[in-house]
Amino acid sequence: MAGGVLVAAFAAHAFRRGDSALVDLRRLSTRAFIAATGGFFLYSAAMFGLMILVPLFAGIVRGESALDAGWLLAPMGLGAMATMTVSGRLGDRFGGRWLVIGGILCVLAGTVALTTLSPDTGRATIMAAMLVVGLGHGMIAPPLMAMAYQGLPREAVPAATTGANILIRIGSSFGTAVTAVILQIGIRNEIPGASGSLDEAAAHRAAETPSLLANAFTNTFWWTAVLLVVALVPVFTVPRKPKQAPPTPA
């Protein structure tokens, strides 16, 4: 709550100061920038929540080591590398909006697959879902940032980059915090008398209640999927990039 108030106060102060502000928000009030960064904020919240949940699921529900849990995220990086190398060019050719929407839907498909996890789910299944998530992730970041710069004057690009990075960082922290709270509530609901702490959850796994813990995680994955669907809304409102007029013959 206090962080949200401070961010709002910073925005109001920046609007009032105008050109003398650290980030001149008045130059960034275009529809494309607001919609694209709004979508990035929501997507970052969902994505970082997802990256927190998968290792925790492996460690608490499956009892795996930190190294084994971390390896479950490796396919996501490989998938992102595969699509990020071409997403910028594809966005320039076919338009960034539909590429970003396709990427979010791809991440959503991988997230929905994670909602079916159980203590007995094989590592290959989890890693396949994370590969799908990574493929979608690589389709989102480059074109969505390019969409945010549409209509901005050249001198406003540095401020736009700073503002976008601030929102992404806030979204990441917001997603991590909200995911942790939802997971804690889920553990309390599934295990009567539990406080929701991770240490206590690990103790319950040792007491042969991993299926109840798995239910808490899968319900939290569903909330992450909902956040991804919400992220589609601002992306749909990003205006299409105007077609460049053909050069005037000499």
Side-chain angles (χ1 to χ4, degrees), residues 12-36:
H13 177 73
F15 267 104
R16 185 174 62 84
R17 293 291 299 273
D19 293 337
S20 60
L22 176 63
V23 179
D24 187 359
L25 295 181
R26 295 184 303 178
R27 293 193 176 192
L28 308 180
S29 57
T30 64
R31 174 183 164 188
F33 183 82
I34 293 174

Side-chain angles (χ1 to χ4, degrees), residues 3-247:
V5 171
L6 291 174
V7 171
F10 168 78
H13 177 73
F15 267 104
R16 185 174 62 84
R17 293 291 299 273
D19 293 337
S20 60
L22 176 63
V23 179
D24 187 359
L25 295 181
R26 295 184 303 178
R27 293 193 176 192
L28 308 180
S29 57
T30 64
R31 174 183 164 188
F33 183 82
I34 293 174
T37 53
F40 225 142
F41 174 89
L42 294 170
Y43 172 73
S44 298
M47 192 65 182
F48 272 78
L50 188 66
M51 292 174 64
I52 290 294
L53 284 175
V54 172
L56 286 178
F57 177 87
I60 294 176
V61 178
R62 296 166 60 90
E64 297 184 356
S65 67
L67 179 61
D68 290 337
W71 274 112
L72 294 176
L73 298 179
M76 185 184 72
L78 295 176
M81 288 172 56
T83 52
M84 195 172 290
T85 55
V86 298
S87 60
R89 286 175 290 177
L90 290 176
D92 291 338
R93 184 173 181 180
F94 300 106
R97 179 197 291 178
W98 292 109
L99 188 64
V100 172
I101 291 172
I104 293 178
L105 291 176
C106 192
V107 175
L108 180 61
T111 303
V112 171
L114 293 172
T115 63
T116 65
L117 296 182
S118 71
D120 299 325
T121 302
R123 290 178 60 86
T125 301
I126 302 175
M127 296 178 82
M130 295 309 297
L131 177 63
V132 174
V133 169
L135 291 172
H137 180 66
M139 297 166 58
I140 295 170
L144 192 54
M145 286 301 297
M147 291 160 62
Y149 296 144
Q150 290 177 200
L152 290 178
R154 184 183 298 272
E155 59 272 15
V157 171
T161 302
T162 301
N165 281 324
I166 290 174
L167 282 176
I168 292 171
R169 300 297 181 270
I170 294 175
S172 304
S173 302
F174 172 78
T176 302
V178 169
T179 300
V181 170
I182 294 174
L183 178 60
Q184 185 178 39
I185 294 173
I187 293 174
R188 288 177 179 175
N189 291 337
E190 292 292 335
I191 304 176
S195 66
S197 69
L198 298 182
D199 290 339
E200 185 182 54
H204 276 288
R205 178 191 61 79
E208 299 183 356
T209 56
S211 60
L212 298 179
L213 291 173
N215 291 337
F217 275 90
T218 53
N219 291 335
T220 310
F221 279 123
W222 274 117
W223 281 103
T224 304
V226 170
L227 193 55
L228 286 169
V229 173
V230 176
L232 287 170
V233 176
V235 174
F236 269 112
T237 65
V238 177
R240 297 191 179 189
K241 184 178 180 179
K243 294 182 179 180
Q244 294 182 350

